[in-house]
């Protein structure tokens, strides 16, 4: 009888210019069983990303050669891999710029290891999300249609006017949350809980910026803002 296959460790690339922080993050994540590579500047991080295969990237905002925002832009041109940004100041402009560049979430330095690991685990759960069960053969309602937008909730595929729409894992989870309740208003706190897996109060800017990115991909009028309450998916 063959021995059960031991799952490969999760591979993480950390791009951080501060040697002390870089080493501390690496050692902390390795203690949790992650395989960690590091880079000290944006260009080296881009080279490492292109040369390897990673399950998740952690990028500092302030990097030499190529800053974290620019690096995230470059990565998003090539990949939908989950990206977690780190900011030393928590400056609103840094946070917004990182999320607009395509990051899935962010943390403020210094960050406690349990918090960092919790964020990583949440990102990885979104990246490996699968539906819990298949519908019966006589009820093919797993394909949802909203105007020119088609969402296959089993195949995890989205098409607009017949063309595939590339979504990050976070964007896909967000769209599936809307598609499960079309026409219903979903508030930001619910979306933080269900999509970002936050068991605590999170920054609602994460939701707003991800909705903005999603609108650009599926059509600006598909998700409507209900001022003071949240967002809803337009049915027609």
């Amino acid at each position: 009888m063959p021995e059960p296959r031991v799952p490969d460790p999760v591979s993480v690339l950390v791009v951080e210019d501060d040697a002390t922080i870089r080493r501390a993050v690496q050692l902390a994540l390795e203690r949790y069983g992650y395989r960690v590579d590091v880079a000290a500047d944006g260009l080296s991080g881009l080279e490492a990303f292109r040369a390897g295969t990673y399950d998740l990237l952690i990028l500092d905002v302030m990097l030499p050669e190529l800053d974290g925002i620019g690096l995230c832009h470059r990565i998003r041109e090539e990949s939908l891999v989950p990206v977690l940004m780190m900011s030393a100041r928590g400056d609103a402009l840094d946070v917004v710029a990182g999320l607009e560049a395509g990051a899935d979430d962010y943390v403020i330095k210094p960050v406690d290891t349990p918090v960092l690991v919790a964020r990583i685990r949440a990102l990885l759960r979104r990246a490996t999300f699968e539906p819990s069960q298949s519908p019966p053969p006589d009820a093919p309602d797993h394909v949802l249609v909203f105007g020119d937008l088609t969402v296959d909730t089993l195949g995890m595929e989205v098409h607009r006017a017949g063309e595939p729409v590339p979504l990050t894992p976070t964007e896909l989870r967000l769209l599936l949350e809307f598609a499960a309740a079309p026409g219903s208003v979903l508030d930001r706190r619910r979306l933080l809980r269900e999509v970002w897996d936050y068991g605590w109060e999170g920054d609602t800017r994460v939701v707003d910026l991800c909705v903005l990115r999603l609108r650009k991909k599926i059509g600006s009028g598909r998700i409507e803002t209900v001022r003071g309450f949240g967002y809803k998916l337009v049915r027609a």
Side-chain angles (χ1 to χ4, degrees), residues 101-206:
D104 296 281
D105 202 353
Y106 75 95
V107 292
I108 305 302
K109 296 186 295 184
V111 57
D112 292 335
T113 299
V115 173
L116 179 61
V117 171
R119 297 292 184 89
I120 289 172
R121 286 174 174 168
L123 276 174
L124 293 172
R125 280 195 293 272
R126 296 203 291 276
T128 57
F129 172 74
E130 294 181 358
S132 58
Q133 60 184 10
S134 299
D138 59 343
D141 55 356
H142 60 279
V143 177
L144 309 176
V145 179
F146 307 97
D148 66 348
L149 187 70
T150 302
V151 181
D152 183 342
T153 61
L154 289 184
M156 295 295 148
E157 295 180 346
V158 179
H159 290 78
R160 182 184 179 195
E163 295 297 323
V165 180
L167 298 178
T168 68
T170 301
E171 291 164 353
L172 179 57
R173 283 292 296 267
L174 181 61
L175 178 57
L176 290 174
E177 193 68 25
F178 281 121
S184 299
V185 178
L186 307 184
D187 65 65
R188 292 171 176 83
R189 298 190 191 286
R190 169 179 168 174
L191 293 171
L192 278 173
R193 183 178 66 251
E194 299 298 333
V195 178
W196 278 263
D197 206 11
Y198 280 3
W200 59 91
E201 292 295 314
D203 189 341
T204 57
R205 286 176 296 186
V206 175

Side-chain angles (χ1 to χ4, degrees), residues 69-89:
I69 308 302
L71 176 56
C72 189
H73 271 298
R74 299 277 283 275
I75 288 168
R76 278 291 172 255
E77 292 173 353
E78 305 176 22
S79 173
L80 300 176
V81 62
V83 174
L84 179 67
M85 300 292 294
M86 292 196 300
S87 172
R89 297 170 295 173

Side-chain angles (χ1 to χ4, degrees), residues 47-69:
E47 291 177 0
F49 161 73
R50 287 172 171 170
T53 301
Y54 297 99
D55 300 295
L56 183 136
L57 309 180
I58 300 177
L59 312 179
D60 185 29
V61 172
M62 303 299 292
L63 292 171
E65 305 296 337
L66 175 65
D67 67 22
I69 308 302

